[in-house]
């Protein structure tokens, strides 16, 4: 019997459905997080540009993005709340034993959600009702509230990866809890900054991708140009920063979570001059099948020298490390993330070169095709980052202290599979409704930019919210019959 089959046979029957349910809800929620965390800042940047330069097109974009931000936040609240309940329902062993140690992170996230909801309501209400600069400054705390929510969830997750801030009594229960140490764990800094920059980068590419598609379809007006340029520039500036942060977090994992690093890099035996495998699959006997082998590169990446010793998976018992399948999943997720990041660097260099030479966007349609795909690719890398983090930590839910199988609910497997089916159905409906609302808003805005524009009373995002009169032909203005579209 293989190691994976042996471990599966000895695991509780409810472990698999509990894992699948948690993985599905987390993977669904994470697709919304980049816009939830970063869209407020991108909207405020456009808002500031509109006020500073008396630009009605920029103000119109900010107004419309704020509406998308509100709809996305509402859906994110639903999926985030489900995740919060699942921690208690699916993993009562962890929450019951360790909740007093790391639970503050979830409390911070809850307060951040509450504060963000209030601030979004004020910001939406302020259009046409508040003085322009007063309205803008009331929106400035929004990105800070979003970052506070990210702070809470990363504090909890980094503690699960490198737990500290407690001692164990004779019965194995945590006592003498230090809240400060439990929040600021060895992996908190690397994880938080890597995650936060990833959110802003991803949101920038996603928003710019929408306008790149419009550009490819012939909409070459200033509305689409500005809608593309501002978020893409934010993403372009952050992409090389993220490349450095990604290299740093990989090195931190090498030092602080050596078995996770071994899983992500498919290192079986502890050794120096360890090769790097691009993709490939780890076998039960420790060999790697397929992939591109680059001699000594893994040691160089870990310690900047081929003489760097890398800890292998075989250095710990099979019960204390990821299975060959889990290691392969973590490895592929890590490699996809690194590959996409490298390709995005090339896209940014293309953009920077054209801007430096001509102070203009690239003229090639291939650039805009790649820019349109960059948003989807960035969301994929966010998913891959969480897969690497969670799968690479297996079999531990609290690294070195509690296994996933020890934390799982006693609820029967059949009930969990039923719950899984219900959740999938509900999420399909929720995300379908979310998409339908966005498409409806897009259609309404296109009508607002055409001869059949509705009045502001019918469409609150139809006209420039405040500021100077729009230039002739700008989106959001009525055109005289027979005028050029």
């Amino acid at each position: 019997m293989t190691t994976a089959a042996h471990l599966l046979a000895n695991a509780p029957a409810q472990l698999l459905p509990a894992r699948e349910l948690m993985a599905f809800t987390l993977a669904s929620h994470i697709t919304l997080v980049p816009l939830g965390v970063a869209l407020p800042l991108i909207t405020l940047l456009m808002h500031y540009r509109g006020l500073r330069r008396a630009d009605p097109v920029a103000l119109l974009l900010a107004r419309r993005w704020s509406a998308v931000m509100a709809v996305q936040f509402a859906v994110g609240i639903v999926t985030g709340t489900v995740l919060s309940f699942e921690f208690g329902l699916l993993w009562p062993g962890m929450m019951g034993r360790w909740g007093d140690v790391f639970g503050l992170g979830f409390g911070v996230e809850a307060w951040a959600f509450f504060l963000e909801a209030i601030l979004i309501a004020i910001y939406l209400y302020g259009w046409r009702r508040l003085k322009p600069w007063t309205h803008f400054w009331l929106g400035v705390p929004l990105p800070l509230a979003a970052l506070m929510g990210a702070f809470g969830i990363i504090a909890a997750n980094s503690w699960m990866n490198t737990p500290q801030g407690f001692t164990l009594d004779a019965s194995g229960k945590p006592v003498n809890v230090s809240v400060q140490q439990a929040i600021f764990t060895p992996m908190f800094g690397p994880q938080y900054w890597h995650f936060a920059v990833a959110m802003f980068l991803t949101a920038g590419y996603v928003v710019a991708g929408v306008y790149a598609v419009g550009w490819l379809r012939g909409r070459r007006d200033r509305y689409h140009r500005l809608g593309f340029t501002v978020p893409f520039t934010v993403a372009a500036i952050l992409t090389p920063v993220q490349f450095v942060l990604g290299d740093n977090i990989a090195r931190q994992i090498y030092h602080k979570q050596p078995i996770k690093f071994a899983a992500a890099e498919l290192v079986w035996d502890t050794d120096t001059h360890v090769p790097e495998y691009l993709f490939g699959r780890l076998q039960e006997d420790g060999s790697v099948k397929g992939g591109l082998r680059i001699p000594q590169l893994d040691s160089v990446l870990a310690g900047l020298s081929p003489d760097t010793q890398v800890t292998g998976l075989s250095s710990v018992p099979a019960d204390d490390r990821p299975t060959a399948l889990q290691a392969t999943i973590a490895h592929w997720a890590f490699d996809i993330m690194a590959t996409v990041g490298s390709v995005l660097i090339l896209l940014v260099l293309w953009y920077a070169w054209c801007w430096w030479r001509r102070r203009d966007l690239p003229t090639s349609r291939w650039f805009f095709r790649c820019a349109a795909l960059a948003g989807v690719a960035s969301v994929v890398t966010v998913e891959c980052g969480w897969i690497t983090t969670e799968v690479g930590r297996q079999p531990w839910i609290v690294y070195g202290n509690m296994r996933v199988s020890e934390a799982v609910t006693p609820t029967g497997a059949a009930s969990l599979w039923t719950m899984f089916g219900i959740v999938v159905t509900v999420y399909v409906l929720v995300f379908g409704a979310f998409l339908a609302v966005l498409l409806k808003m897009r259609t309404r805005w296109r009508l607002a930019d055409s001869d059949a524009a509705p009045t502001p009373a019918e469409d609150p995002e139809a006209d420039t919210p405040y500021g100077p009169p729009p230039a002739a032909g700008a989106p959001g203005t009525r055109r005289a019959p027979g005028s050029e579209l």
Side-chain angles (χ1 to χ4, degrees):
M1 181 182 291
T2 65
T3 303
H6 172 73
L7 294 176
L8 185 61
N10 292 331
Q14 65 269 29
L15 181 59
L16 180 60
R19 273 178 163 166
E20 295 300 314
L21 177 55
M22 192 75 186
F24 173 79
T25 50
L26 180 58
S28 300
H29 179 68
I30 202 67
T31 61
L32 300 170
V33 173
L35 291 181
V37 171
L39 188 55
L41 178 63
I42 295 174
T43 300
L44 285 170
L45 288 175
M46 188 65 79
H47 193 167
Y48 177 82
R49 179 190 176 96
L51 294 177
R52 187 73 176 177
R53 301 190 181 188
D55 187 341
V57 175
L59 290 174
L60 184 64
L61 283 163
R63 175 67 181 97
R64 290 176 174 179
W65 290 355
S66 68
V68 175
M69 179 174 64
V71 176
Q72 181 277 331
F73 181 78
V75 178
I77 284 290
V78 174
T79 57
T81 302
V82 170
L83 275 174
S84 299
F85 278 111
E86 284 183 351
F87 270 101
L89 294 173
L90 299 179
W91 315 108
M94 180 185 68
M95 300 304 293
R97 183 177 177 186
W98 303 101
D100 291 343
V101 184
F102 81 112
L104 181 63
F106 292 109
V108 170
E109 186 194 20
W111 276 104
F113 269 130
F114 177 72
L115 180 60
E116 194 173 358
I118 295 174
L119 292 171
I120 286 177
I122 294 172
Y123 189 65
L124 286 176
Y125 179 82
W127 293 106
R128 299 197 183 94
R129 293 180 176 88
L130 299 175
K131 293 180 179 180
W133 282 106
T134 300
H135 180 217
F136 171 79
W137 287 114
L138 285 173
V140 167
L142 255 174
L144 302 178
L147 286 173
M148 186 171 74
F151 177 95
I153 198 64
I154 295 300
N157 186 262
S158 64
W159 181 87
M160 294 164 67
N161 287 321
T162 50
Q164 66 173 31
F166 62 92
T167 56
L168 298 177
D169 62 15
S171 63
K173 294 182 179 179
V175 294
N176 302 323
V177 175
S178 169
V179 173
Q180 181 177 351
Q181 291 185 12
I183 290 178
F184 298 102
T185 64
M187 285 303 298
F188 172 77
Q191 274 194 237
Y192 179 75
W193 292 114
H194 185 60
F195 177 80
V197 173
M199 297 302 100
F200 289 104
L201 180 153
T202 300
Y205 282 127
V206 168
V207 175
V210 173
Y211 296 92
V213 172
W215 194 270
L216 290 169
R217 292 179 176 177
R219 302 185 186 99
R220 306 295 175 87
D221 51 24
R222 188 169 180 276
Y223 178 83
H224 283 80
R225 179 187 177 86
L226 193 58
F228 174 84
T229 304
V230 171
F232 192 88
T233 301
V234 170
I237 293 171
L238 293 177
T239 297
V241 175
Q242 182 69 335
F243 199 83
V244 174
L245 291 174
D247 178 73
N248 175 65
I249 195 172
R251 217 177 305 280
Q252 294 299 320
I253 292 173
Y254 162 74
H255 289 292
K256 299 177 175 69
Q257 295 180 275
I259 300 304
K260 177 186 285 189
F261 184 85
E265 297 288 12
L266 301 186
V267 180
W268 184 254
D269 293 317
T270 302
D271 204 350
T272 60
H273 302 271
V274 177
E276 172 78 14
Y277 287 93
L278 298 181
F279 302 98
R281 304 183 305 279
L282 183 66
Q283 307 300 301
E284 292 286 345
D285 61 0
S287 62
V288 178
K289 185 176 181 180
L292 176 62
R293 183 180 185 272
I294 305 176
Q296 306 188 62
L297 182 58
D298 197 50
S299 288
V300 172
L301 293 175
L304 304 179
S305 168
D307 294 324
T308 302
Q309 179 174 286
V310 180
T311 302
L313 290 168
S314 62
S315 64
V316 297
D319 290 351
D320 293 342
R321 67 182 186 233
T323 65
L325 176 60
Q326 289 169 341
T328 299
I329 293 172
H331 175 68
W332 273 69
F334 184 82
D335 279 4
I336 291 171
M337 185 168 47
T339 301
V340 172
S342 301
V343 173
L344 289 178
I345 286 285
L346 298 177
L347 185 64
V348 167
L349 291 175
W350 189 353
Y351 177 74
W353 172 258
C354 293
W355 195 262
W356 178 67
R357 289 291 302 274
R358 300 184 288 104
R359 288 294 186 272
D360 201 359
L361 297 176
T363 56
S364 172
R365 290 180 63 86
W366 278 107
F367 171 81
F368 287 96
R369 291 188 183 106
C370 293
L373 292 174
V376 177
S378 298
V379 173
V380 170
T381 62
V382 172
E383 294 279 8
C384 288
W386 278 104
I387 290 171
T388 304
T389 298
E390 300 304 305
V391 178
R393 190 178 62 237
Q394 299 303 312
W396 305 102
I397 195 167
V398 179
Y399 195 79
N401 287 273
M402 175 177 279
R403 301 175 190 278
V404 179
S405 58
E406 297 169 342
V408 71
T409 177
T411 304
S415 298
L416 292 179
W417 283 120
T418 301
M419 186 186 303
F420 187 21
I422 294 173
V423 168
V424 169
T425 302
V426 171
Y427 270 48
V428 168
L429 295 175
V430 168
F431 277 86
F434 176 51
L435 181 60
V437 170
L438 293 183
L439 293 176
K440 179 68 174 179
M441 292 166 69
R442 182 198 65 175
T443 301
R444 192 178 69 213
W445 292 339
R446 285 186 181 177
L447 289 174
D449 298 338
S450 69
D451 294 335
T455 64
E458 297 169 343
D459 181 2
E461 297 97 26
D463 291 338
T464 305
Y466 40 62
T477 63
R478 292 183 181 276
R479 297 174 175 83
S483 63
E484 182 180 358
L485 295 180

